[in-house]
Amino acid sequence: MSPPELHGFDQDKVPSRTLPMLESSGFRLSVKELATVFGIDSARFGALSTRFVVPVLEGSHEKYNDTKDWYDVNGWLYIVEPTAWVPQVSHGRTLPLSEFRGEYRMETRTINETKFNASTAAAVEIEAGGAYMGITASTRSTKDMTFEVSKSSTVDEANEGRGPWGQHHALELFVYPTLKCKIVKKQRMSYRINDVASELEWSKDSAQSGWWDERYVNAGGLGPLKNLVWHPVPLYGSDEKDGLPEKGWMLAVPHNAPNGDIDVTTLLSRYAWHNYFWYDVPWETVTDGQTITLAVPNNSIAFQPAATWAVLDRSDRNGCGCGQ
């Protein structure tokens, strides 16, 4: 047994395509309303790689005895196909239109990101025009976000009596980018790492002679693919140190497959080790339509988180609702 060849990946052989935008989740806005209120024009979105890898992992800690202090990591790696942008919209305050008849001074609002990403499985950052090597996956953030709350044109138009607005209040609305993805393949992840001794294991057979030698991978031969490493390993847990993420290294090495698809070889390493070892648990093909939703607050191809005041027309909830 030995690891597959781990060089020669060509990201240009993985197709990219532009994705549709669906109506929002949370507070419902149609695609046309999203364009009117936030200026989001899905026709301008850039293309995105049709494959990338996302880890959804959880860490835990158990002290087995006085000398073996083990941290466990369990979950899945997913090879996904992105299918649609889904704006997550939240409603904040409601104010009468009279509040906006003078000079409007832009406000700053600080809101914890979990208000927008709690229903997502993980997060990705998209750079480099949406190509494979420009996509970085991580855990969803629990930090505060700062918004500058603008005023959309619908507020002024309503105050001036233009458009069939049908109400006399402005709504504070927030938008946050998420990405719906189809799961193509998945790999079960289950390993443990020791904080006292320099150990890492995922198989009961690892103590056998030659087991580690068969799975050895020289880090020097990985070239630019080393840039795809996850370190610290992105983990969820009841404590930020569960799973010992800062002492683990995980690398999902892509390989070109027929018809623009990819296969992946997963490598693991740990603090004080200078090379990698092949995590040889097989990948499973997913055929039942499983999906996950990812938070994408940092991306260079679609839209960014934003906040604005807007007036919506209650009389047309199936259409734009922002005037025709």
Side-chain angles (χ1 to χ4, degrees), residues 38 88-90 92 109 111 116 147 149 172-176 306-307:
F38 291 105
Q88 173 72 35
V89 174
S90 295
R109 292 264 272 152
I111 299 176
F116 309 103
F147 291 85
V149 187
E172 183 186 38
L173 299 176
F174 300 85
V175 68
Y176 180 93

Side-chain angles (χ1 to χ4, degrees), residues 277-295:
F277 292 86
W278 173 34
Y279 181 81
D280 54 344
V281 173
W283 285 81
E284 305 171 24
T285 299
V286 178
T287 59
D288 60 358
Q290 292 181 46
T291 64
I292 60 172
T293 300
L294 306 174

Side-chain angles (χ1 to χ4, degrees), residues 100-114:
F100 299 89
R101 286 185 181 139
E103 180 183 355
Y104 176 71
R105 294 184 180 180
M106 190 174 294
E107 302 174 83
T108 298
R109 292 264 272 152
T110 300
I111 299 176
N112 193 277
E113 197 165 346
T114 55

Side-chain angles (χ1 to χ4, degrees), residues 45-107:
F45 290 176
L48 181 61
S49 174
T50 55
R51 294 288 188 275
F52 55 89
V53 183
V54 177
V56 181
L57 306 169
E58 184 173 355
S60 59
H61 176 215
E62 183 172 354
K63 194 163 188 174
Y64 292 90
N65 55 51
D66 291 338
T67 60
K68 294 290 187 179
D69 202 9
W70 289 102
Y71 292 76
D72 296 296
V73 174
N74 292 281
W76 296 91
L77 291 189
Y78 297 110
I79 299 175
V80 301
E81 176 186 354
T83 58
W85 291 96
V86 184
Q88 173 72 35
V89 174
S90 295
H91 173 210
R93 296 168 290 173
T94 299
L95 291 179
L97 276 175
S98 58
E99 295 285 331
F100 299 89
R101 286 185 181 139
E103 180 183 355
Y104 176 71
R105 294 184 180 180
M106 190 174 294
E107 302 174 83

